[in-house]
Amino acid sequence: MLEKYPVPVSTHVNLRTHIIYLLGHYGHKAVIDRFMEDARILKDLSSIENVYNTEYTANLIEEHREELYKLEEELAIEGKENASQFVSNIRTDALINLGLHENPYTKGEKEVDFK
């Protein structure tokens, strides 16, 4: 199904997203393959960041951490800084979604003033 909808489509915006969620939930490697291809070819990666930054894909991202790090390095070497940062963000978000890393954007407890 991801081959039929390889890029986000304007007519059925959520269709591709739901396919990725479903395949991610069942741990299908096609999600990683699509993610890697998206990072390589899509111009506007910010529009799909929420597709891969979910609890549905987090386990797959973590299972393929080394492979994705290599992709991140390749993209940086090729001068594709936005794509490299996109991969880095998704790898970090997977750790946050799995509870293995603190979310730097949430507010922590306030420090108590001692007098």
Side-chain angles (χ1 to χ4, degrees):
M1 291 183 81
L2 281 176
E3 288 176 11
K4 185 173 181 175
Y5 301 101
V7 295
V9 290
S10 59
T11 54
H12 297 72
V13 177
N14 290 325
L15 179 61
R16 182 177 183 267
T17 300
H18 291 302
I19 292 168
I20 290 171
Y21 287 177
L22 185 62
L23 291 173
H25 175 75
Y26 287 106
H28 200 286
K29 181 148 181 338
V31 173
I32 296 299
D33 296 338
R34 182 76 260 153
F35 172 73
M36 292 175 72
E37 191 65 20
D38 285 350
R40 286 185 177 109
I41 65 170
L42 293 181
K43 301 287 185 227
D44 182 19
L45 294 167
S46 63
S47 68
I48 62 161
E49 195 160 346
N50 65 332
V51 173
Y52 295 104
N53 176 17
T54 68
E55 65 275 8
Y56 304 111
T57 58
N59 281 321
L60 271 172
I61 300 291
E62 183 57 25
E63 287 172 14
H64 296 273
R65 177 161 288 284
E66 276 187 50
E67 185 179 354
L68 295 175
Y69 180 73
K70 288 177 185 176
L71 172 64
E72 183 182 331
E73 285 184 328
E74 287 172 22
L75 293 168
I77 289 168
E78 293 172 10
K80 297 178 179 178
E81 290 299 322
N82 288 339
S84 178
Q85 187 62 53
F86 169 73
V87 174
S88 176
N89 291 348
I90 296 300
R91 290 176 57 242
T92 301
D93 290 341
L95 290 174
I96 293 168
N97 285 325
L98 292 170
L100 301 173
H101 190 279
E102 281 188 40
N103 187 341
Y105 303 109
T106 58
K107 292 182 180 178
E109 294 180 13
K110 291 183 179 179
E111 291 184 24
V112 178
D113 287 336
F114 292 101
K115 295 184 178 183

